[in-house]
Amino acid sequence: MSIVIIRQDGKIGVWKAALQQAAPEIKVYSYLEDHPKDEIEVALVWKHPSGTLSQYPNLKYIASSGAGVDFIIEDSDIPKDIPITRVVDGFLASDMAEYVIAVIFAYLKNLNTYKIAQTKSIWKPKPYQRISDFTVGILGLGALGQVLANDLVRFGFKTQGWSASKKAIKGVTTYAGNEELSHFLAKTEILVCLLPLTKETRGILNKPLFEQLPKGAHIINVARGGHLVDTDLIEMIDNGHLSGASLDVFHQEPLPPEHPFWQHENINITPHYASVSDTASVVPQIVENYKRCQNNESLLNVVSMVKGY
Ligand code: NDP
C-alpha cells in the first residue's frame, strides 16, 4: 500500500518530506516519478491534471489536501464508488478567519482607497466606519464559517450566517435553506461566501442575490470563483448598489491580465491565498486515514457524494 501525491503547484516535495518524516514506513511517490501504479491505494491530490486518477487500478480513496473537493468531483475520470476525504484543520479555519477579518477592517478603515490615493500622491481623508456600523453575513457555516462567525462575535460584529441545515452558534443569528435566504440577505451589509462549490451553489453570487442586499453592501468571496457571476458583480458595483468586493478566488486562476477585475478600483484581489493547508498540521490526519484504511476502519472527513461536499 502506497500514496501518490498529484498536484501541479510545485509543492510535491514539501508534502512528500512531511509525510515521510511523520510516517517513514509509508511509501510516498510523486506522480511525476516512476512508480508502481498498481501498488498505489491512496491519491493525495490538489487540482490534479484530469485523467491522472484513472491510472491507479487499486485506489481505495482520494484525499484532497485542502478543504475543497469540487475539483475532484468535477473530474469525470475519477474512479467510481471510492470515498473522497478532505481536510478539516484548525489552522485552515483560523487562517481563513484572520484573512476575512483583515479584509473587513481594511474596508471599514478605507485602507485600499488610501493605497490607491498614495500611488497618485493624493491626501484625501474619507470618513471611516466602525464595527458597530455593520452586520456581517456568512454564506456557509461549516468548518471555516463557524470559526469566522465566533471570531466576528468576539470582535463585536453583529453576525449572521446561512447554511443548509440550521445551526446554533452563540451570538450569531442563523438562517437555513433557500426559504430563509432572503431574510438573511436583507440584513447583511458585508457578505462573506464560504460555501463549497456544488451544483446548488455554482453562480449563487449573482444579480438577483445582490439585489436583495442593502444598498452599499460589500462582497467577500473566499470560497470558489465558480460561486460568482463576474459580470453581475461589476454591473452591481458600477450602478452603485454594491460598494465593492474583495476576491481571493476566480473562475480562472491566475486571473488573466485582461480581466476587468484587475482595473476596477472597488475590487480588491488576492491570489487564492486566504488560507492554505499547513503541511505540519494536516499531515497527521492524512497518516491517520492511511492507517484507518489499512485496518479497514472508517475514514475521517469523508465527503458526501450526495451533497457534493
Ligand atoms: P464545510 O463543508 O465544512 O461547510 C460548508 C457549509 O456550507 C456548511 O455549513 C453547509 O451547510 C453549507 N452549504 C453547503 N451547500 C449549501 C447550500 N446549497 N445551501 C446552504 N448552505 C449550504 O466547508 P468548509 O467550511 O471546510 O469550506 C468551505 C469552502 O471554503 C471550501 O469548500 C473551499 O471551497 C473554500 N476554501 C477556500 C480557501 C481559500 O484559500 N480561499 C481555503 C479553504 C477553503 P450544512 O452545515 O448544513 O451542511
Side-chain angles (χ1 to χ4, degrees):
M1 183 168 170
S2 329
I3 299 180
V4 64
I5 304 176
I6 312 178
R7 53 192 305 146
Q8 303 174 83
D9 59 358
K11 291 186 179 171
I12 291 180
V14 178
W15 280 89
K16 195 172 169 184
L19 274 163
Q20 285 177 330
Q21 194 182 359
E25 70 282 7
I26 303 178
K27 277 197 227 152
V28 185
Y29 298 99
S30 158
Y31 81 112
L32 297 171
E33 68 186 308
D34 243 357
H35 59 290
K37 297 216 164 85
D38 53 350
E39 251 184 45
I40 301 294
E41 294 189 321
V42 184
L44 177 60
V45 300
W46 185 250
K47 300 195 177 165
H48 58 283
S50 94
T52 40
L53 287 168
S54 58
Q55 297 172 25
Y56 301 99
N58 298 315
L59 214 52
K60 291 230 170 94
Y61 68 96
I62 301 167
S64 167
S65 54
V69 293
D70 43 289
F71 65 97
I72 303 173
I73 291 178
E74 283 165 10
D75 179 355
S76 55
D77 256 357
I78 57 167
K80 302 289 169 241
D81 304 325
I82 64 167
I84 298 171
T85 64
R86 72 187 197 101
V87 166
V88 177
D89 174 66
F91 279 127
L92 201 60
S94 61
D95 287 356
M96 178 58 83
E98 287 176 18
Y99 171 93
V100 173
I101 288 166
V103 165
I104 292 174
F105 278 121
Y107 172 61
L108 261 54
K109 305 303 173 191
N110 304 309
L111 301 186
N112 292 309
T113 309
Y114 291 137
K115 190 68 215 172
I116 294 171
Q118 183 185 340
T119 63
K120 299 173 186 162
S121 308
I122 294 172
W123 179 281
K124 192 177 175 196
K126 193 172 184 267
Y128 58 78
Q129 313 196 64
R130 53 177 70 98
I131 289 172
S132 56
D133 291 336
F134 284 103
T135 296
V136 182
I138 308 166
L139 291 168
L141 289 172
L144 304 185
Q146 290 200 24
V147 171
L148 173 63
N150 284 321
D151 284 355
L152 287 169
V153 169
R154 260 196 293 281
F155 271 105
F157 283 99
K158 288 167 272 171
T159 306
Q160 50 182 27
W162 180 74
S163 48
S165 58
K166 187 81 173 170
K167 301 282 182 284
I169 307 170
K170 198 163 174 247
V172 180
T173 310
T174 58
Y175 300 83
N178 289 333
E179 52 295 346
E180 291 186 11
L181 180 58
S182 53
H183 302 294
F184 162 84
L185 294 171
K187 293 192 192 125
T188 293
E189 292 156 310
I190 298 176
L191 180 72
V192 183
C193 181
L194 268 173
L195 291 165
L197 185 62
T198 65
K199 285 201 286 284
E200 283 72 35
T201 65
R202 181 174 291 281
I204 188 170
L205 299 176
N206 58 19
K207 187 173 173 182
L209 179 142
F210 296 145
E211 284 172 337
Q212 296 177 65
L213 294 167
K215 189 169 163 38
H218 188 84
I219 308 301
I220 301 175
N221 188 19
V222 278
R224 286 290 179 265
H227 288 118
L228 178 65
V229 180
D230 295 2
T231 47
D232 287 4
L233 178 71
I234 289 175
E235 181 186 338
M236 295 302 279
I237 296 175
D238 289 349
N239 72 17
H241 185 71
L242 298 176
S243 59
S246 300
L247 309 174
D248 185 55
V249 287
F250 304 91
H251 285 270
Q252 191 185 334
E253 296 177 358
L255 185 65
E258 66 279 8
H259 197 290
F261 285 168
W262 282 115
Q263 301 308 327
H264 203 296
E265 64 173 24
N266 295 322
I267 294 178
N268 310 308
I269 289 169
T270 52
H272 197 155
Y273 229 65
S275 177
V276 178
S277 289
D278 177 315
T279 46
S281 181
V282 166
V283 155
Q285 64 185 262
I286 306 292
V287 172
E288 169 68 20
N289 261 351
Y290 178 90
K291 290 183 176 160
R292 283 169 173 251
C293 181
Q294 267 188 323
N295 299 329
N296 287 320
E297 292 165 6
S298 56
L299 300 175
L300 303 173
N301 305 322
V302 174
V303 168
S304 158
M305 294 307 281
V306 177
K307 294 198 283 183
Y309 65 95

